[in-house]
Amino acid sequence: MDKELLEKLEAIRQGAQLKTTDLVSIEDLSVNEIDLLFKLAHEIAIFLQGDMKKLSWLKGKTQLNFFLENSTRTRTSFELAGKNLGIDTINISGNQSSLKKGESLLDTAITLDQMQPDFVVVRSPYSGTAHYLAKNMKSVVLNAGDGWNEHPTQALLELYTMQKYQGNDLKNKKYVIVGDVLHSRVFGSLARLTSMYQIPVVVSCPYTLVRPQMTEVWPHITHEPDLMKALAEADIVHVIRLQTERAAAAFVPSIREYSKTYGLNATKLKVAHPKAIVMHAGPVIREVDVHTDILETDRSVIPDQVFAGYCLRLVLLWLMGQKRKEKKVLPRLFPQARVSM
Ligand code: CP
């Protein structure tokens, strides 16, 4: 079965390679490459829902999941995807690493790189961490979310899910993002991804949570502070939670007031298209950003988003399995480049 699947994936791929050696930003991928990822993920989804779930195409590789912030979806799916491919996966959390003892990020990167990992999947509260590691490590670095900046694989699974329910051409659909786009790294990647695919976006949030120059930097995005106007005839309603761990609570009068104004419930959703789907970038804060009267209905495609994340991360690891060899990094990290004393 896995030989058959491999042949099928290779036939779809037709020798295509991803150009990038790391995934730091969604812009590291082209539209054609993302379309390919989606086609491959579709086949992987069918396979994973069958009885036999294990592939071993990357046996002998190692993957460090270096998470300096909490995660359920991203870390679990990257780990499961790696294990499924036969990769040895190791988890390092912020509390376990020597960063806690004062070691710098650069020295941590040098140290971890000496373990010869093929992949480092990194999540950090600091924007730019993935880029910094990618520049300083021989390992392939995959950004699992950095500060307010980006979360590229999350944006991929969002678009994959939108296309699954609303068709591949989303240019004429009404796509509404509700919530804290200021502090959201998912929004950072989504803004870029929707620009690449020319998908118009309506953002609904208070003025305090709008990103500076958002509509100038991304002209395909408009801001509509009135949620009911934004939701009218919407095809996709995508909720992004209030990022309270990033001080977002200071940007609204109170969580209760925010929830009353911007929390999505079944009554508000009535003005949307009757077949509108509701997405959530996760983690969901029930009754604050989305109410149970939507979450537990078939309007919510949130479970599909999670599964899509597993499939897409598996495909990404597979396609990037040999990339370590191609990487060119700063020579100062390698013994042959050390300065003689
Ligand atoms: N969406 C997302 O990144 O979820 P986790 O924080 O659970 O990984």
Side-chain angles (χ1 to χ4, degrees):
M1 171 62 187
D2 68 328
K3 191 165 170 275
E4 250 174 64
L5 178 64
L6 188 58
E7 280 169 8
K8 198 167 190 180
L9 298 188
E10 292 290 7
I12 293 170
R13 184 181 172 186
Q14 292 182 338
Q17 304 280 347
L18 300 184
K19 281 209 179 71
T20 189
T21 51
D22 302 280
L23 184 62
V24 171
S25 165
I26 195 70
E27 289 174 339
D28 290 332
L29 298 170
S30 68
V31 167
N32 283 344
E33 288 173 332
I34 294 170
D35 288 343
L36 172 64
L37 277 169
F38 287 3
K39 282 186 199 141
L40 297 171
H42 176 72
E43 298 301 329
I44 290 293
I46 297 168
F47 170 76
L48 290 177
Q49 283 167 325
D51 293 334
M52 210 276 282
K53 293 192 181 62
K54 200 99 169 122
L55 305 163
S56 300
W57 300 334
L58 293 183
K59 225 170 167 180
K61 306 278 178 201
T62 49
Q63 173 186 332
L64 303 183
N65 298 322
F66 183 37
F67 276 62
L68 304 175
E69 253 190 22
N70 295 342
S71 168
T72 303
R73 282 146 279 263
T74 313
R75 193 168 89 170
T76 311
S77 58
F78 262 119
E79 187 174 357
L80 274 177
K83 282 191 182 341
N84 195 310
L85 287 163
I87 304 174
D88 291 323
T89 62
I90 294 162
N91 293 321
I92 309 168
S93 71
N95 286 338
Q96 292 166 340
S97 84
S98 292
L99 282 170
K100 272 266 166 201
K101 300 178 193 163
E103 187 168 64
S104 73
L105 189 60
L106 177 63
D107 286 324
T108 304
I110 295 170
T111 303
L112 292 177
D113 224 20
Q114 292 311 309
M115 319 289 177
Q116 313 294 312
D118 295 279
F119 297 101
V120 171
V121 181
V122 62
R123 168 165 295 185
S124 158
Y126 311 112
S127 301
T129 304
H131 178 75
Y132 189 70
L133 293 192
K135 275 204 167 288
N136 286 293
M137 297 184 88
K138 178 80 174 148
S139 165
V140 172
V141 174
L142 303 173
N143 186 359
D146 62 328
W148 302 11
N149 182 33
E150 284 214 50
H151 191 349
T153 56
Q154 179 73 31
L156 289 176
L157 71 90
E158 313 283 21
L159 181 60
Y160 179 90
T161 309
M162 287 191 254
Q163 288 190 349
K164 179 177 164 187
Y165 282 91
Q166 299 286 0
N168 286 358
D169 188 1
L170 296 166
K171 291 191 187 88
N172 296 316
K173 298 286 179 181
K174 187 170 180 187
Y175 175 37
V176 182
I177 298 180
V178 183
D180 179 6
V181 298
L182 176 62
H183 303 98
S184 168
R185 51 198 172 208
V186 177
F187 179 75
S189 289
L190 271 176
R192 292 166 171 88
L193 183 59
T194 48
S195 172
M196 289 159 70
Y197 275 79
Q198 298 168 2
I199 301 166
V201 181
V202 179
V203 163
S204 192
C205 66
Y207 284 97
T208 48
L209 290 175
V210 174
R211 286 200 178 207
Q213 274 97 45
M214 178 178 76
T215 53
E216 285 86 31
V217 176
W218 296 300
H220 68 294
I221 300 180
T222 51
H223 176 226
E224 174 49 74
D226 183 330
L227 179 64
M228 295 315 288
K229 282 189 190 158
L231 290 179
E233 298 300 323
D235 298 289
I236 303 158
V237 184
H238 191 169
V239 182
I240 291 181
R241 82 193 152 87
L242 200 58
Q243 318 271 312
T244 45
E245 78 278 26
R246 293 182 204 122
F251 291 73
V252 295
S254 70
I255 303 283
R256 198 164 153 187
E257 195 278 342
Y258 173 83
S259 170
K260 204 169 153 208
T261 315
Y262 288 100
L264 190 68
N265 60 26
T267 309
K268 290 178 187 165
L269 193 64
K270 277 187 186 145
V271 301
H273 189 282
K275 292 217 163 80
I277 55 166
V278 175
M279 300 172 60
H280 195 296
V284 178
I285 313 297
R286 276 185 193 238
E287 323 310 342
V288 173
D289 34 48
V290 187
H291 286 253
T292 301
D293 62 7
I294 292 177
L295 285 174
E296 296 185 7
T297 70
D298 60 4
R299 303 297 287 278
S300 161
V301 298
I302 299 166
D304 295 60
Q305 289 174 251
V306 178
F307 181 55
Y310 179 21
C311 302
L312 282 160
R313 287 170 182 133
L314 193 153
V315 169
L316 197 63
L317 289 170
W318 177 58
L319 288 178
M320 298 188 84
Q322 311 306 325
K323 289 284 178 190
R324 191 179 196 280
K325 288 180 238 152
E326 292 175 28
K327 274 198 70 171
K328 292 177 185 70
V329 292
L330 295 179
R332 70 180 164 134
L333 300 186
F334 290 91
Q336 64 271 30
R338 281 189 206 137
V339 179
S340 301
M341 288 185 75

